[in-house]
Structure formats: structure tokens, C-alpha cells
Amino acid sequence: MTTFNDGSPLISAADVARELDSARPPVLLDVRYQLVGAAPGGPTAAEEYAAGHLPGAHFVDLDRDLAAPPGAPGRGGRHPLPGVAEFGAAMRRFGVSADRPVVVYDGAASMAAARAWWLLRWAGHREVRVLDGGFAVWREAGLPVTAEVPEPGKGDFEPAPGAMPTVDADGAAAWAREGLLLDARSGERYRGEVEPVDPRAGHVPGAVSAPTSENVGPDGRFRPAAELAARFRELGAGERATAVYCGSGVTAAHQVLALELAGVDATLYPGSWSEWSSDAARPVAVTDQPG
């Protein structure tokens, strides 16, 4: 059994159900989102939520609630960090309070849920957990599902940014030279073989390929901590200070979470490849090796 006092960023479906029946139930945030490469023509995240979600869960729109609009002043990339005031207002509307635990989840592999986890941690919330395996494992366990939409919450959470470290593009370049910069995108995008959405293909020179998809098993749950530790150790994490980027700063948060499970602290480059590749002055590498 996991509890909110054991320090893990993950929680099982059974333990979420148990916590919901406790004297201090968590706020539930449904962060289902269609990441790059999702099959066209399927239901939207909002439609999936409307069809069924955990009882009491609030739907969080990643583009609206967990990011500023692209091109926001001083913030680059497709998913810039949200404004502090706007993020705080959204979280309070979902019932998030400083003294109440939060559980975030998405459809399965926690790629989007990890963005909410990281943002709440970055903003100073101390009790945030990711439902390991997401909505899929909840349903597989036969736990209650509802289409009822809760009333807006009345939370009191006031963000205090800075509790999780970040780095800008210049810092990412330095990290690739002097530390370890992990590229959390697929190997194909890292090598520049494909680029479905951003201006240029390739990777930050010196970055090391570490696809986020390898953090989880076939069931969408995170791999055991020992396996993650071995994986990241092979990539050099732990020996050198580690930073992470992806396409737009969403799945890189998943990598930060996986690194935490592995016992490694990591810094996030929020602008990620969408910011880097938009600046023609910044170099791009397309080899299969760092550099």
C-alpha cells in the first residue's frame, strides 16, 4: 500500500480508491490528452472524459490549463509554462488546496498526467501523485466510473514557482556540453528521420537519446525503480547533472518523474525542441550519436 507520506510520485488504483474513502480524500485531475502521433478521427480527450472518468475528477485541458498560448512573451515553444496567476486560478477552480493531496491521471501511460504533476510540484504543492497506469488500470480493476461532472471546486492553492528546476535554451546548450542532456522524444525524431510538427528535424547537439516510451511497460505502468535506475545509469545519469527536453515540455516531465523514481534529480527545459528548432541561429544535429 502506498500513502501520501511515503514520498513516491506514484499511486496505485487500489490506493486511490482507498484514499477517496478516507477522511482526507485527494482532488482528482483527469489530464487525458492527444499527444503527437495520435490516430486521427478518434474521440477528443474531453469526449473521453465525458464518456467516463473517476468519480469527482475534474477535466484538465492541457493546452488551456497547463500551458500558456504558443508565442507568449518571454516563453517559447508549443507549450510554454502557464502564467502563475492563470495556473493558480485553474487549480483553485478544480478544488486544489495547499493542504489537500492531489492525484492526476490520463488515459494510460501518464505522459500528459506527468505535466500536471511536474507543474504542481514546480508551483510548490507537496502532495501530488500520478495514478500509475491511468484510467486504463482503474477500469481494469473494476473500480467505479461516472459521467457525472463535478461542480467547480473552491480551492485555495497559491502557486509559488521554483520548487522544480528549469533551464532555458542557452542553459540546455551548456548542459549538453558540460553535463547530461536527455532527449525524451522517439529515436526517429532524435535522429532527424521524421519531424511531424516542429520547424526543423534533429536534436540539440550533444544531447543523448532517451525515449520516454521506454519508461513504461506494455500496460502503461512505470517500470520498476531498479530497471529505471539501470536504464538511466547506462545513459550516464547520476554521474553527471541531468537535464531533459522533449518536443514541447510535456513528455519531458514524464522523464523527470521516471528519473525521480530512479533516484536522480533532473532539470526540465520547458521550451524543448519546439523552441530550439524555431531559432535558426541554433545548431541542429542529425546523427545517431550525441553531437
Side-chain angles (χ1 to χ4, degrees):
M1 183 179 74
T2 56
T3 72
F4 279 92
N5 297 318
D6 68 6
S8 173
L10 302 179
I11 189 168
S12 70
D15 287 336
V16 172
R18 189 176 296 109
E19 293 285 349
L20 288 174
D21 285 334
S22 72
R24 191 167 167 258
V27 173
L28 300 179
L29 303 183
D30 185 309
V31 199
R32 276 177 276 190
Y33 181 72
Q34 302 298 333
L35 294 166
V36 172
T44 66
E47 289 169 342
E48 290 179 348
Y49 168 83
H53 50 266
L54 273 64
H58 295 267
F59 177 68
V60 178
D61 185 305
L62 190 149
D63 291 322
R64 180 191 65 213
D65 302 317
L66 303 181
R75 287 172 282 175
R78 284 183 282 112
H79 288 109
L81 297 186
V84 174
E86 292 81 2
F87 179 65
M91 293 302 104
R92 291 190 293 275
R93 188 172 66 249
F94 300 140
V96 175
S97 293
D99 62 350
R100 187 176 175 189
V102 179
V103 171
V104 297
Y105 70 91
D106 57 27
S110 304
M111 299 293 178
R115 169 77 171 206
W117 167 84
W118 185 92
L119 277 171
L120 282 163
R121 289 274 303 273
W122 167 79
H125 203 294
R126 298 181 179 181
E127 293 185 282
V128 189
R129 304 288 283 276
V130 174
L131 170 54
D132 195 16
F135 186 65
V137 301
W138 182 269
R139 293 202 71 164
E140 288 168 4
L143 293 164
V145 171
T146 183
E148 183 177 348
V149 177
E151 294 293 324
K154 297 179 180 179
D156 64 14
F157 180 63
E158 294 288 347
M164 296 286 274
T166 62
V167 67
D168 62 11
D170 289 339
W175 220 291
R177 295 190 304 268
E178 302 164 11
L180 177 65
L181 180 65
L182 297 180
D183 185 319
R185 299 171 303 155
S186 68
E188 292 81 3
R189 291 184 73 188
Y190 170 84
R191 293 188 295 271
E193 297 168 5
V194 298
E195 183 43 67
V197 62
D198 291 321
R200 292 186 288 166
H203 61 267
V204 176
V208 174
S209 180
T212 308
S213 59
E214 296 180 16
N215 293 335
V216 298
D219 61 357
R221 291 180 175 91
F222 279 85
R223 292 164 60 184
E227 290 185 15
L228 291 170
R231 179 197 181 204
F232 290 122
R233 187 165 53 249
E234 290 178 0
L235 295 171
E239 299 175 3
R240 294 175 284 170
T242 304
V244 182
Y245 75 94
C246 59
S248 66
V250 174
T251 58
H254 192 276
Q255 197 85 299
V256 173
L257 193 159
L259 283 157
E260 181 168 311
L261 290 170
V264 177
D265 294 330
T267 294
L268 179 71
Y269 171 27
S272 284
W273 185 247
S274 55
E275 178 184 57
W276 183 280
S277 63
S278 296
D279 185 348
R282 295 199 177 276
V284 169
V286 293
T287 65
D288 193 30
Q289 300 295 325

